[in-house]
Amino acid sequence: MACLADLFDRVAREGVEDDRLYRLLSACGRALKADPSNAIGILAYAEHWLLHCMGLLPHPRVCGRCGNETAPLVILSPEEGWCCSSCTPVDPLEALPTGSRGYLRNLRLRGAEAAPRVNPADEAQQAITALLRARLLQELGGGLRSYDVLWRSV
Ligand SMILES: [Zn+2]
């Protein structure tokens, strides 16, 4: 909850005035109240949609480089968005895990109350969550104390 409050406070101060932000905050608050045990999943959901509201998250349906709709996504490029394996050679160790496109799709299509539950065995979820969280915190300039507490407690 502290992370959500910090995020929304910071984004609002960045001057992003957007009804979607308030709808997102209210949806996340309701979801948290209904299922506190999924707090970390709901936080990842909120981070994804905040990036989207800030115009920083390209749509994952088509590759931003070649337009392919089915090949696995392998990187998120600052210039071209999500890029797929058919046009972007990437060391398999550095590529996004298989299932990343599906995980992003779940985040987009489900509501906050159905935010994917954290599953340490789901490599795509782990990688995408870390990627989007780092992107968002970078954009907000870091220094969110609630996240310092989060790192120490999960
Ligand atoms: Zn491609």
Side-chain angles (χ1 to χ4, degrees), residues 63 66 68 84 86-87:
C63 169
C66 76
N68 187 306
C84 79
S86 75
C87 67

Side-chain angles (χ1 to χ4, degrees), residues 62-69 71-73 82-88 101:
V62 295
C63 169
R65 187 170 284 165
C66 76
N68 187 306
E69 295 185 20
L73 302 173
W82 302 104
C83 298
C84 79
S85 62
S86 75
C87 67
T88 308
R101 195 193 284 265

Side-chain angles (χ1 to χ4, degrees), residues 49-110:
W49 282 110
L50 278 171
L51 277 172
H52 176 81
C53 288
M54 296 167 83
L56 298 171
L57 192 64
H59 200 296
R61 190 173 61 80
V62 295
C63 169
R65 187 170 284 165
C66 76
N68 187 306
E69 295 185 20
T70 53
L73 302 173
V74 289
I75 58 162
L76 176 59
S77 146
E79 297 82 24
E80 294 168 296
W82 302 104
C83 298
C84 79
S85 62
S86 75
C87 67
T88 308
V90 176
D91 182 329
L93 292 174
E94 292 169 19
L96 291 171
T98 307
S100 293
R101 195 193 284 265
Y103 175 68
L104 286 162
R105 187 168 189 276
N106 280 342
L107 283 176
R108 289 188 79 88
L109 297 183
R110 296 180 184 180

